[in-house]
Each structure stands twice: as C-alpha cells, then as structure tokens.
Amino acid sequence: MKALTRKQFAIKTIAACAIFAGVTATFGVANAQTKLKWAHVYETSEPYHKWSVWAGEEFKKRTNGKYEIQVFPASSLGKESDINQGLQLGTVDIILTGASFASNSYPRLAVSYYPFTFRDADHVIKYGKSDVFKELTEGYKKATGNTVTALTYYGARHATSNKLFKNCDEMKGIKMRVPDSPAYTALPRACGANPTPIAFAEVYLALQNGTVDAQENPLPTIEAKKFYEVQKNIILTGHIADALLTVIAPSLWGKLSPAEQKILSDVTQEAAVNATNDIRKREGELVEEFKKKGNNVVTVDRADFQQRVLKAITFESMKLDKKDWDRVVNIK
C-alpha cells in the first residue's frame, strides 16, 4: 500500500473525526429524547384519541423535544384492566381510563358510578374541580403511586337493546354487556337483568352474534363503535354520567422535574377540556341522527329506574361510602 503523505494523513484524520463527532451528536440527541407510551381503548375517530395525540405533541413542543409520546388507541396495548395494570408494571406511561377501573385499587374512587349520581354534564365537570375529587384522587395516589392530572367528560350512558324495554321490570332476564368492573352492574342487577362483562373491543361481535342482548354506553360511543348497526332500540336511561381520568405512571411522574410535571398537567387538562366540548356537542346531535338511521330512540322515566337502584343496591355492596356520594350529589 502506498504510504500517505503527512498532508493526506491529516486530511483523513480530520474527516474521520468529523464523522465520529456527527455520529456521537446524533446518538446523543436520540438518547436525550425519552419516548413515552400513552394507551387507551377508544377508536382513532373519537375525540379522546385526537386530543391525546394533540397533548403528546404539545408536551414534546413545550419540553423542547425532550419527550416524545406515542398514543396507542383501540386496545392495542390491552383491554382497560390491562393498561391500568401496565401503570404499575411500567409497560405504559400514561392512560385514559374510567374511574371505575382505577377504583379496583381504591374503591372510593368509584363513587361517581353509582347510578343517577350526576344531574348533567356540568355537574360532572364541577365534580372534576371539586375538593371531594381532589381528596379521592389523592387517596388513589397514596394507594397506587399513580397521579391523576385531568378529568374528561365521557357522556351519559344509555342502553341499547334488540329487545325493547321502557322500565325496570321489562329488563328482567336481558343479558346486558357491561365493562368488566363492578360499578357498571348496579342498574342491570337492580332491574333483574344479567350483567355480562365483555372486553370493549369484543362488544360489537357479541351483540351481532347474540352472545348478549344489550349493552350500555354514551351516544358518541354507540356511534363510534357502530353499535347502532346491530341494535334496534336506543333507550335513554342516562343512568351514569361517565368520565375518563388521565393517569400518569409513578415511574414517569417521579422522573419529571416540577416544571415538566406542570407542563404535563397543563396539556392533559387542556386536552380534557377540548375533548369534553367535542363530546357534549356530539351528544346533542345524535338523537336525531340515530332516528334518521332508523333506530328506535326511546325516552323513559329515569326517576323510576333511580328508585329501583336505590332500593336494591346498597353503597356498602359497591364498597362505597355514602358520605362521599352525598358530597358529590350536593356539588352546585
């Protein structure tokens, strides 16, 4: 091999150093960026997903690219009980979940799921800003290490069924799909129906093939999941005004600086407000749209259902404290 001149050697050495420096810089940037997983069970068409993605982008922007959040929708990282467990296992960093699932670790948190607790969406939103909500989420954090940063209105839950019912007695014997959480069983149990837990991703098929006769969800979810295609009747029971919590894993929250914790709280709260507004708007439009699609939309006497639940389902049986419920009901 021909010997290099001193000048050629110097040029090659400088070039090699430049390449090494570039690789090191690139590797450093990659290492500096922390990738986070945000999981939920909702469709990409739903506001929860859209605003979760927005919050992830905002968090990246407001932390100057230090964190990148990937949102995993539609149960792609597991059903709701799985992603709740994932917070403890470190397999997810952030989730959207119903308080009913979070309450498996801290039962008092499920107080908002006792049927007919809330008057309307405004009541739910006020609850999310209340002292009782703060107290309950702090109790949940002590029990699990998980931090709740925001509450999003999910909608008033109504029933759909191929067998029409207009009162509690007519629900007797109906096999109704409910989420796999005790909080959702109160209404069907009080009315003599058979609550049947089925994972969210499997509900459409279960309704289609007759595994269950009915299910219950807010109108925007009935639309997004296309349950109206396989259910004739939409019964406006409005038995639970539901909400989702944005929950941060202790493994993530503990490594954020106070400034980063505030940024994450801010963006998740802003996302919650925007998703809430979208859901409320869509709720107001869907009754007429379902009628146009040919569904039979039925109004019922909600007070009759409520009285049956109050008589049949004790707070103690749901591991709830009635003092918590009284405080929630009396929020003005």
Side-chain angles (χ1 to χ4, degrees), residues 124-258:
V124 176
I125 294 164
K126 288 176 182 176
Y127 165 66
K129 299 174 182 177
S130 69
D131 290 340
V132 63
F133 179 73
K134 183 178 180 181
E135 180 183 315
L136 293 174
T137 53
E138 285 178 352
Y140 168 66
K141 183 171 184 174
K142 286 179 182 176
T144 63
N146 301 333
T147 300
V148 176
T149 59
L151 178 144
T152 304
Y153 177 62
Y154 184 61
R157 298 182 80 96
H158 303 290
T160 68
S161 177
N162 280 326
K163 179 183 177 182
L164 179 61
F165 61 84
K166 294 182 180 180
N167 57 53
C168 204
D169 288 329
E170 291 175 355
M171 287 184 70
K172 188 172 183 179
I174 287 178
K175 189 178 287 187
M176 175 177 276
R177 180 271 169 180
V178 295
D180 189 12
S181 174
Y184 294 100
T185 67
L187 179 70
R189 283 194 293 127
C191 295
N194 298 319
T196 306
I198 294 175
F200 199 37
E202 300 166 13
V203 178
Y204 184 95
L205 186 60
L207 294 169
Q208 187 178 48
N209 64 24
T211 302
V212 289
D213 309 305
Q215 68 84 46
E216 47 82 62
N217 259 298
L219 298 180
T221 305
I222 293 167
E223 177 192 36
K225 286 290 192 178
K226 301 186 184 301
F227 296 150
Y228 64 88
E229 294 180 345
V230 288
Q231 296 272 268
K232 297 175 186 176
N233 304 296
I234 299 174
I235 300 105
L236 301 179
T237 51
H239 50 284
I240 294 173
D242 209 343
L244 303 179
L245 304 178
T246 308
V247 189
I248 317 298
S251 56
L252 170 58
W253 193 254
K255 71 183 177 187
L256 297 178
S257 69

Side-chain angles (χ1 to χ4, degrees), residues 33-37 59 66-67 90 93 248-261:
Q33 186 180 74
T34 301
K35 295 186 181 297
L36 305 174
K37 293 180 179 180
F59 189 55
K66 183 176 178 182
Y67 297 94
D93 301 290
I248 317 298
S251 56
L252 170 58
W253 193 254
K255 71 183 177 187
L256 297 178
S257 69
E260 291 166 345
Q261 289 176 352

Side-chain angles (χ1 to χ4, degrees), residues 95-143:
I95 68 170
L96 274 180
T97 185
S100 55
F101 285 89
S103 72
N104 289 334
S105 303
Y106 186 68
R108 285 178 64 196
L109 199 56
V111 65
S112 58
Y113 285 81
Y114 191 89
F116 307 101
T117 293
F118 293 107
R119 298 179 296 275
D120 50 29
D122 286 336
H123 190 180
V124 176
I125 294 164
K126 288 176 182 176
Y127 165 66
K129 299 174 182 177
S130 69
D131 290 340
V132 63
F133 179 73
K134 183 178 180 181
E135 180 183 315
L136 293 174
T137 53
E138 285 178 352
Y140 168 66
K141 183 171 184 174
K142 286 179 182 176

Side-chain angles (χ1 to χ4, degrees), residues 39-41 74-97 101-102 104-105 146 180 199-202:
H40 64 74
V41 299
S75 305
S76 53
L77 290 187
K79 58 189 179 182
E80 199 149 5
S81 56
D82 296 329
I83 62 174
N84 272 270
Q85 189 177 24
L87 292 171
Q88 308 303 130
L89 298 175
T91 55
V92 294
D93 301 290
I94 306 168
I95 68 170
L96 274 180
T97 185
F101 285 89
N104 289 334
S105 303
N146 301 333
D180 189 12
F200 199 37
E202 300 166 13

Side-chain angles (χ1 to χ4, degrees), residues 4-33:
L4 295 174
T5 67
R6 185 174 295 176
K7 184 176 180 181
Q8 288 172 322
F9 180 80
I11 290 170
K12 286 182 176 289
T13 301
I14 291 168
C17 288
I19 292 168
F20 179 77
V23 169
T24 302
T26 302
F27 182 75
V29 169
N31 258 8
Q33 186 180 74

Side-chain angles (χ1 to χ4, degrees), residues 25-74:
T26 302
F27 182 75
V29 169
N31 258 8
Q33 186 180 74
T34 301
K35 295 186 181 297
L36 305 174
K37 293 180 179 180
W38 180 323
H40 64 74
V41 299
Y42 306 103
E43 300 299 318
T44 55
S45 61
E46 294 184 82
Y48 318 111
H49 180 70
K50 178 178 84 171
W51 290 109
S52 296
V53 171
W54 175 88
E57 291 169 350
E58 281 296 301
F59 189 55
K60 180 179 179 180
K61 188 189 304 179
R62 298 185 200 183
T63 58
N64 298 315
K66 183 176 178 182
Y67 297 94
E68 179 160 347
I69 295 175
Q70 184 177 359
V71 181
F72 294 84

